[in-house]
Amino acid sequence: MITVRNNSESGRYEAFVDGELAGHTEYYPQGDHLVFPHTVVDPQFGGQGVASTLIAAALDDVRAQGTRLDPQCPFVRGFIDKHPEYSDLVWHAS
C-alpha cells in the first residue's frame, strides 16, 4: 500500500510503501505559488505506481490549499499533461 504525506519541514511530499520511504517530490514557495523542481523514486519501487500516486496526492493537496504550482520537474509536468483535470493548478507568469 502506498501512502503519501507532506513533510513541510523538508519541503517535500513523501511516498511510503508499507511504511518504507519509496520516493519524494520536492517543492518550495515562490511568491504566490509552489515550484516543483524534482521527483525521485527509489529504483527498487520502480514500476509500482509510486510516482503517479505521489504526484496525484501532492496535486490534490495543492488544490486543497487553494494555491498553484510551477511544474519544473519533467515527471510532474508530464503527469499534468496526461491528467488535464490538474491543468488549472499550473501557475502562469502574468
Side-chain angles (χ1 to χ4, degrees), residues 15-81:
F16 296 85
V17 174
D18 297 326
E20 185 176 349
L21 182 63
H24 68 272
T25 188
E26 299 167 3
Y27 68 88
Y28 61 88
Q30 184 166 329
D32 62 350
H33 64 280
L34 298 173
V35 175
F36 278 69
H38 191 62
T39 301
V40 175
V41 172
D42 188 303
Q44 76 179 24
F45 296 104
Q48 297 180 33
V50 171
S52 294
T53 301
L54 171 62
I55 300 307
L59 296 177
D60 288 341
D61 193 54
V62 168
R63 185 183 306 283
Q65 293 176 38
T67 193
R68 295 185 185 268
L69 73 145
D70 179 359
Q72 293 181 0
C73 170
F75 188 86
V76 175
R77 190 171 38 254
F79 183 89
I80 293 170
D81 288 346

